Every structure is written in C-alpha cells, then in structure tokens.
Amino acid sequence: MEITCSNLSKKFHSEWVFKGLNFNFLSGQSYAIIGSNGSGKSTLLQCLSGMLPLTSGSITYTDKNSEVAIEDFYKYISIAAPYLELLEDYTLLEHINFHLQFIKLQDNLTAKEFISILRLDSSINKPIKNFSSGMKQKVKLGLAIYSDRPILLLDEPTSNLDSKGILWYKEEVEKVNNRKLLIIGSNQEFEYDFCGETIDMRMWK
C-alpha cells in the first residue's frame, strides 16, 4: 500500500490546521506524526483515514500499483484513537465476535485467542461499560493492531494506559512494525521511538 498526499490543507472556520502538506507513506514503513497539542496530528490522521474531508489537496491510495477508490479505502485501514468508542453494552467476548463479523484478525486468531493476547481472560464475559479506561484502551489498540488490514493508524496510543499497559503496547506494536504501513500521531517519544520517519506538523503551518 502507498498513500500519496498532494498539497493537503485543512482549516476549521478561518483557522488553518495545516497547509500545503506533501508526503508519501509507503507499505512496510513506520511514521510518527509529531507536534504539540492542537498542532493537527489527530486532524491529519482523520483526513488520511477518510473520516474528515480536506479543505484542499488530494490523497491517493494505491494498492499494488492500482489506485483505490476513496469510498473503498476504509477496507484497508484499522485505527485506534481516544475519540473512537466501543460497544459498551456488549461483553468483551460479544464485542470481539461482533468485530469478527466484519473484519477478521490476522493469523486467523479466534476471539478467545485474541482476548488472551490482550491479557483480559478474566474479563471475557464482563460488560465493556464496566471496564477501566485503560482496559478499554487495550481493547481499542488490540483490535487495531491485530485486524487483518495493511494500514494501521494510531492516535495517542498509550492514553489511559499504566506502565504495564505501555509495555504491552510496545511489545505488540513492534510485532507488526515493518509488516504494515504504520502511522502514529503522538507528542510522546516513547510511543513512536521505533518509527523510521518523523513528520513534524510545525513544517506545514
């Protein structure tokens, strides 16, 4: 997969978030989008995912030299972000089984095998609404990392995680590093210190 960004610009009302961004994201590579709070990291990730429209410019998605239609791009990505929600009335097992109806997990993992990777076996039948914020974040991250999709977008990946959760994140994400096109939005170096390239949002103001 390849994502080609040509002169991307985004503004809200009269305020420009970023302007004139040009970049190529390549399969098998890892990228960190860095900057202070409010610098546009999350906005850029949402534009790349198709969740937000651009003000100007274009994004081209290419799979094996064939251009992917924008309306089909969602089939290629998985994303974890603080603003995305889980199905809180479901138990953990119900949520994972629901997910599997639409997106399979890599290596054909079963729901129970995946829950073991999350290290949440004791909460398999617990409603997600009763999970701590850190447990919810692990579920979001795990589903994004292990979904059988070639592009992985992570926004502030260790939000709400304790020290054990952060170690778990680093172990799991490095397993897929170089296997996917990985893009991380972060202002904390430990979340992306393994990434091959860094994009500083200050360059595109």
Side-chain angles (χ1 to χ4, degrees), residues 28-48:
Q29 304 296 318
S30 55
Y31 304 86
I33 300 172
I34 66 171
S36 59
N37 291 338
S39 62
K41 301 184 300 296
S42 295
T43 300
L44 177 56
L45 282 174
Q46 290 180 70
C47 289
L48 291 175

Side-chain angles (χ1 to χ4, degrees), residues 98-140:
F98 180 78
H99 179 90
L100 286 171
Q101 293 180 42
F102 305 95
I103 306 171
K104 69 178 183 178
L105 299 175
Q106 64 186 36
D107 303 321
N108 290 313
L109 288 170
T110 66
K112 290 186 177 180
E113 288 170 338
F114 173 68
I115 290 169
S116 290
I117 291 171
L118 295 178
R119 302 174 192 170
L120 292 175
D121 303 79
S122 62
S123 300
I124 190 169
N125 293 312
K126 184 177 181 178
I128 288 176
K129 63 185 176 185
N130 296 331
F131 279 22
S132 68
S133 57
M135 292 167 69
K136 291 176 183 178
Q137 182 64 8
K138 282 186 77 174
V139 176
K140 292 180 188 180

